[in-house]
Amino acid sequence: MPHRSKSSSVSNLPLILNIDDFKGDFSFDALFGNLVKELLPSLQEDEADSADGHGIGGTDALPNGHTRTTSDATKVAQGISAPQFPEVDALLSLFKDSCKELIDLRKQIDGKLNNLKKEVSTQDAKHRKTLNELEKGVDGLFNSFARLDSRISSVGQTAAKVGDHLQNADAQRETASQTIELVKYLMEFNSSPGDLTKLSPLFSDDSRVAEAASIAQKLRSFAEEDISRAMPSVGAGATASRGLEVAVGNLQEYCNELENRLLAKFDAASQRRELSTMSECAKILSQFNRGTSAMQHYVATRPMFIDVEVMNSDTNLVLGDQISPNYVARGLSKLYKEITDTVRKEAATIMAVFPSPNDVMSILVQRVLEQRVTSLMDKLLEKPSLAHPRPVEEGGILLYLRVLAVAYEKTQDLARDLRAVGCGDLDVEGLAESLFSSHKDEYTEHEQASLRQLYQAKLEELRAESQTLSELSGTIGRSKGASVASYPPQEISVEAVTEFVRWNEEAISRCTLFSLLPATLAVNVRAVFTCLLNQVSQYITERLVRARDSLTEAASLRERFVIGTSVSRRVAAAATSQAEAAAAAGESSFKAFMVAIQRSGSSVVIIQQYFANSISRLLLPVDGAHYAACEEMATAMSSAEGAAYKGLQQCIETLMAEVERLLTSEQKAADYHSPDDGMVHDHRPTNACTRVVAYLSRVLEAAFTALEGLNKQAFLTELGNNLYKGLINHWMKFTFNPSGGLRLKRDITEYGEFVRSFNAPSVDEKFELLGILANVFIVAPESLSSLFEGTPSIRKDAQRFIQLRDDYKSAKLASRLSSLWSS
């Protein structure tokens, strides 16, 4: 609250402001009210009224909680506007004094603030100094702690070393104590040879068998080691070692006796299926040779290895009354499943009994493969003799190979099943593989021998079929002048070649099964495929040669029945009949050879497709194997190609021989030198030409069907050239007049149209030139020179033709031509 000052000019009680008026929640309205309430008593009354009846009269609420009445506000407003307000001077004086007081208060406050700033700055400096000192103290404390930690660590290490020394000392003490005990026991065993009656009760107490076994093993190891060290020495050392030999012998005897007792106890528990007792015995026995004897004893006493009925059942299940691959496969699948189930049951017992179950499983699985499976394989897989193999009717070598493949595949499946059951560290797949090592070493030779055996059997079958057909058709033996051969040629059978490929494909599948490495596989595949190449090459070549023999026989018949020039009509008629029979035989042989050629091509295509689809991919992993196989295939087929080439040459000779016979027998001199020269011309080809074209058209249908591509083009081109030469030589025997020349030209046109079907441009060109040459018989002598102006290359042949004109001498064409050619 403000109070009055002595210096106040208002009613001798000037207003003094206190600094406390500005503390807390300051309100200007409250301050103003306190200043003027003594000068304006009405303000107090209004405030009292407002306090008595708050909200009745009009009041204004102030921010500091005070209220202002409406009447007071009206009075103030009236006092300002009206000069009659008497307190105005007093209020002005009061306000001026208050302003001065406020200025003084501000100065006081500023002074106090400056003092406080200085004091704060001083205190801050002191505080910083204190903090620095504290930081130094803390650093010193940290250093002390570090030194203390290092000391503690050093003390701890020392204590650990002391503890290690104490532990070592205790261990040494324990070892020394045990050594004393062992030495005492060793002396007991070293007392006298074979005397085990004076041993400590430990070695006869059945409840302490495990401890006794452990001590006995330690004593025996020590004694044996001592003897081994003393062996090189002499003198006293040798005497000492002989003393320990007594202990070694007694210990060995005791260990054997103890091991036998434990094994007997183990067997008795095994009979009763007391797994806990078996486990206890197995654990103790594991101290003797790491338990090997116990594990081997357990495996050896399994019924599957000692029961004779089980072994006989295996044989009956797989072999049966007659061996066949399917029967063996079913039997092995059933047997191997039983073996796997038995091993799985044994595995459960082994896991519960033995401390090292993986070692026992390894021994068990090894025994299964080496005894049970090997015994069965010895009976099942009997190697055939390559010199005297079993006949094909009884299965041959192929039966052995098929059974071998089935047994190998099923045994590998068994190995994988046993691996899944568990076999320790045993390489069960490798062990199963080794069971067949002796068979795999000679596998390729047996496979090739089987293919050769099958091939020979197939040839015998085909030969027998051909013989049967011969007997049925009545062609056995050579009839007088009618039959071509004593037996019909055996045709090439594409079905037989397909069967060769099927055998080879089966053999390749076995190669893939038996050959684990790509290089080995490539070698075996190549050997088997080469066998197929040799068989197909031999088969095709032999049949082509036999087909050629028919052509050769037909040729010999033609030569035998050549008609002489001075024979009787009867003889000529008989010879003609025989010649026609020989021609029919030649035509039949020609068609048969073309069928052989066609089937040879089909067979080669089958081999090529088989190589591309099945063999090639197996050879590619090995460098050079694919190329070498291609070379072998080309070499193998070269002999067949040679036989085919020679046969095609004989076919052309056969055709030309018949063409020559037809021309000789059918061509008449009057065909080209008609006495009716100049009369009506006959536009038909001669009878000889018609017969030749008809014959060739009929016979060559077989060639058009059998030959393809370049082979067909080469054959027809060669035939066309021979036909051209044969016709030239034939026509050189005749004389031509102009009408005969026209008839010749008609024949040439007929021949030209026929050979056009050969699609041989060089042959077509020759027959076109023949048409031009025929004009020399038609034109007048004086016009001959104009015929060859555009084709000087045919002058030589034209000169020969001109000499065949019937007017060659009368027209003196020789001198005229000589002057023509010279000019």
Side-chain angles (χ1 to χ4, degrees):
M1 292 291 293
H3 58 275
R4 299 198 181 270
S5 175
K6 292 181 180 180
S7 60
S8 177
S9 60
V10 181
S11 301
N12 296 324
L13 294 173
L15 181 64
I16 299 176
L17 295 174
N18 193 340
I19 195 171
D20 294 333
D21 295 335
F22 298 95
K23 295 181 178 178
D25 294 334
F26 173 73
S27 173
F28 178 77
D29 292 339
L31 178 63
F32 180 78
N34 289 332
L35 288 176
V36 302
K37 68 182 179 178
E38 293 182 359
L39 296 178
L40 300 173
S42 59
L43 182 62
Q44 273 187 318
E45 295 174 0
D46 293 338
E47 290 178 353
D49 294 339
S50 175
D52 292 337
H54 179 67
I56 299 174
T59 61
D60 294 331
L62 297 175
N64 60 354
H66 298 283
T67 59
R68 179 182 297 159
T69 63
T70 306
S71 61
D72 289 339
T74 305
K75 291 178 183 181
V76 174
Q78 290 174 357
I80 295 174
S81 63
Q84 291 85 6
F85 187 58
E87 292 88 356
V88 65
D89 293 332
L91 288 173
L92 289 174
S93 177
L94 176 62
F95 290 158
K96 290 181 180 179
D97 292 339
S98 296
C99 286
K100 292 180 180 179
E101 289 293 335
L102 286 173
I103 292 172
D104 291 338
L105 286 174
R106 185 179 67 182
K107 291 180 179 179
Q108 292 176 13
I109 294 301
D110 290 341
K112 289 181 179 181
L113 287 175
N114 290 329
N115 292 334
L116 286 173
K117 287 182 179 179
K118 293 179 181 179
E119 186 177 353
V120 168
S121 177
T122 302
Q123 292 297 328
D124 183 64
K126 291 180 180 180
H127 179 69
R128 290 179 181 276
K129 182 178 180 182
T130 303
L131 286 177
N132 290 332
E133 292 176 354
L134 286 175
E135 287 180 358
K136 293 179 180 179
V138 170
D139 291 340
L141 184 61
F142 281 157
N143 292 332
S144 298
F145 277 130
R147 290 193 297 272
L148 179 61
D149 182 67
S150 176
R151 181 61 179 165
I152 291 173
S153 177
S154 177
V155 171
Q157 293 177 359
T158 303
K161 292 179 180 179
V162 172
D164 291 339
H165 287 305
L166 292 175
Q167 186 177 3
N168 292 334
D170 183 68
Q172 291 176 1
R173 181 189 64 77
E174 183 67 24
T175 302
S177 176
Q178 293 178 359
T179 302
I180 293 172
E181 290 292 326
L182 292 175
V183 170
K184 183 182 73 172
Y185 295 140
L186 183 62
M187 296 304 296
E188 293 178 3
F189 281 99
N190 200 37
S191 59
S192 60
D195 186 7
L196 303 178
T197 59
K198 298 179 181 179
L199 297 178
S200 298
L202 167 66
F203 298 103
S204 58
D205 189 354
D206 289 341
S207 62
R208 302 176 65 186
V209 173
E211 183 181 358
S214 176
I215 291 175
Q217 285 296 107
K218 291 180 181 178
L219 292 177
R220 189 170 68 174
S221 299
F222 172 76
E224 290 175 352
E225 184 180 354
D226 182 75
I227 291 176
S228 64
R229 287 198 304 266
M231 285 295 291
S233 62
V234 293
T239 304
S241 67
R242 284 197 298 272
L244 290 181
E245 289 178 354
V246 176
V248 170
N250 290 336
L251 283 168
Q252 183 64 48
E253 182 180 353
Y254 173 77
C255 289
N256 292 338
E257 186 269 337
L258 179 60
E259 188 173 6
N260 290 333
R261 277 195 292 137
L262 289 171
L263 288 175
K265 184 178 180 181
F266 182 87
D267 286 341
S270 176
Q271 295 293 330
R272 299 188 299 270
R273 296 293 298 171
E274 295 177 357
L275 298 183
S276 58
T277 304
M278 293 172 63
S279 177
E280 180 182 355
C281 294
K283 185 175 182 181
I284 298 172
L285 287 169
S286 64
Q287 301 182 42
F288 298 95
N289 297 325
R290 300 179 64 182
T292 302
S293 60
M295 293 185 286
Q296 291 178 345
H297 180 77
Y298 173 79
V299 171
T301 56
R302 296 307 88 202
M304 73 169 79
F305 301 127
I306 60 177
D307 193 342
V308 178
E309 293 184 0
V310 173
M311 307 302 292
N312 293 334
S313 175
D314 292 350
T315 303
N316 295 332
L317 184 62
V318 176
L319 297 181
D321 298 332
Q322 184 177 4
I323 297 178
S324 69
N326 293 333
Y327 187 87
V328 171
R330 289 193 297 269
L332 285 177
S333 297
K334 185 176 180 180
L335 173 62
Y336 286 168
K337 185 179 184 302
E338 293 177 358
I339 291 176
T340 303
D341 294 340
T342 303
V343 172
R344 186 177 288 107
K345 293 178 181 178
E346 293 292 344
T349 303
I350 290 171
M351 295 295 292
V353 170
F354 288 94
S356 301
N358 288 338
D359 295 338
V360 186
M361 290 300 298
S362 177
I363 296 174
L364 176 63
V365 172
Q366 183 175 356
R367 186 71 174 267
V368 167
L369 292 175
E370 291 182 348
Q371 178 177 330
R372 196 167 177 184
V373 176
T374 300
S375 176
L376 182 61
M377 292 299 109
D378 290 342
K379 298 176 182 178
L380 181 64
L381 300 176
E382 182 180 354
K383 287 185 181 180
S385 171
L386 297 180
H388 304 285
R390 177 186 302 176
V392 176
E393 294 77 11
E394 299 178 8
I397 304 175
L398 180 61
L399 176 61
Y400 160 76
L401 292 172
R402 286 176 173 174
V403 173
L404 174 63
V406 169
Y408 178 83
E409 189 172 11
K410 295 298 181 182
T411 305
Q412 287 295 327
D413 293 340
L414 172 65
R416 285 188 286 271
D417 293 341
L418 294 177
R419 167 66 67 187
V421 173
C423 56
D425 296 330
L426 178 67
D427 181 11
V428 61
E429 288 87 357
L431 181 58
E433 184 77 20
S434 66
L435 301 180
F436 299 89
S437 59
S438 61
H439 298 277
K440 292 175 65 177
D441 291 341
E442 302 176 2
Y443 159 71
T444 307
E445 290 78 4
H446 283 96
E447 196 71 79
Q448 291 174 318
S450 173
L451 293 174
R452 288 193 294 268
Q453 185 185 38
L454 292 171
Y455 175 73
Q456 293 299 329
K458 188 64 179 179
L459 293 184
E460 292 295 332
E461 177 186 345
L462 294 174
R463 190 175 295 112
E465 291 178 358
S466 177
Q467 187 76 12
T468 302
L469 292 175
S470 299
E471 293 175 355
L472 292 175
S473 60
T475 57
I476 296 298
R478 185 189 303 273
S479 62
K480 297 181 179 181
S483 178
V484 175
S486 60
Y487 57 88
Q490 298 178 21
E491 295 182 350
I492 296 176
S493 171
V494 179
E495 290 77 11
V497 175
T498 304
E499 193 168 3
F500 298 161
V501 173
R502 183 176 57 79
W503 296 336
N504 201 265
E505 194 171 11
E506 180 182 344
I508 293 298
S509 67
R510 287 191 288 269
C511 288
T512 306
L513 178 64
F514 293 136
S515 305
L516 302 180
L517 300 177
T520 305
L521 176 61
V523 172
N524 292 339
V525 167
R526 183 178 169 187
V528 172
F529 181 66
T530 301
C531 189
L532 172 65
L533 293 177
N534 294 335
Q535 291 174 354
V536 174
S537 174
Q538 179 182 353
Y539 177 73
I540 293 176
T541 302
E542 287 180 355
R543 266 107 193 115
L544 288 175
V545 169
R546 290 184 180 181
R548 284 181 54 210
D549 291 342
S550 297
L551 292 171
T552 303
E553 187 72 15
S556 64
L557 286 176
R558 288 195 305 271
E559 295 174 358
R560 187 184 310 169
F561 300 113
V562 173
I563 302 176
T565 55
S566 57
V567 294
S568 65
R569 286 186 178 181
R570 182 179 177 183
V571 173
T576 301
S577 177
Q578 295 293 342
E580 290 178 352
E587 182 177 346
S588 176
S589 299
F590 175 87
K591 292 180 179 179
F593 189 83
M594 285 300 166
V595 171
I597 289 293
Q598 182 181 14
R599 295 181 178 181
S600 299
S602 299
S603 300
V604 172
V605 170
I606 291 174
I607 299 300
Q608 291 172 341
Q609 290 177 347
Y610 171 61
F611 176 79
N613 297 333
S614 302
I615 304 300
S616 177
R617 58 184 176 83
L618 301 176
L619 300 178
L620 287 176
V622 179
D623 293 340
H626 184 272
Y627 175 78
C630 293
E631 289 292 320
E632 290 177 355
M633 186 160 53
T635 302
M637 296 305 164
S638 62
S639 59
E641 291 176 355
Y645 176 77
K646 293 179 181 178
L648 290 175
Q649 289 290 340
Q650 287 182 276
C651 285
I652 293 176
E653 293 173 1
T654 299
L655 294 179
M656 292 307 303
E658 179 61 13
V659 167
E660 183 178 353
R661 189 189 71 84
L662 291 174
L663 291 174
T664 302
S665 62
E666 299 296 331
Q667 196 83 68
K668 308 302 180 182
D671 291 340
Y672 300 127
H673 196 274
S674 173
D676 301 330
D677 190 21
M679 304 297 290
V680 179
H681 176 62
D682 189 355
H683 297 285
R684 296 174 300 172
T686 63
N687 187 48
C689 174
T690 302
R691 291 284 302 275
V692 169
V693 171
Y695 167 75
L696 291 177
S697 299
R698 181 181 70 252
V699 174
L700 286 180
E701 288 181 358
F704 282 112
T705 303
L707 300 176
E708 294 179 351
L710 296 178
N711 292 331
K712 180 179 181 180
Q713 182 180 3
F715 174 79
L716 294 177
T717 300
E718 183 68 17
L719 176 61
N721 291 332
N722 279 269
L723 179 61
Y724 171 80
K725 294 178 182 177
L727 290 173
I728 292 290
N729 294 332
H730 169 68
W731 289 327
M732 295 300 296
K733 303 174 183 177
F734 296 90
T735 302
F736 298 85
N737 58 17
S739 62
L742 291 174
R743 197 80 184 273
L744 174 63
K745 193 173 181 66
R746 181 64 185 87
D747 284 354
I748 293 174
T749 302
E750 189 73 12
Y751 289 125
E753 291 178 355
F754 169 70
V755 299
R756 198 169 292 117
S757 63
F758 291 3
N759 289 326
S762 61
V763 176
D764 294 340
E765 182 181 357
K766 289 184 177 181
F767 277 88
E768 289 176 0
L769 293 177
L770 273 179
I772 297 174
L773 286 174
N775 292 326
V776 300
F777 303 118
I778 301 171
V779 300
E782 57 273 11
S783 301
L784 288 174
S785 60
S786 62
L787 290 178
F788 313 108
E789 292 179 355
T791 55
S793 59
I794 63 173
R795 285 184 177 180
K796 184 176 181 181
D797 293 333
Q799 186 175 3
R800 296 170 58 196
F801 268 49
I802 291 173
Q803 293 177 4
L804 303 177
R805 288 173 63 110
D806 61 348
D807 60 350
Y808 180 75
K809 294 181 178 179
S810 62
K812 299 181 180 180
L813 293 179
S815 59
R816 186 178 296 182
L817 287 176
S818 62
S819 61
L820 175 63
W821 301 141
S822 61
S823 61

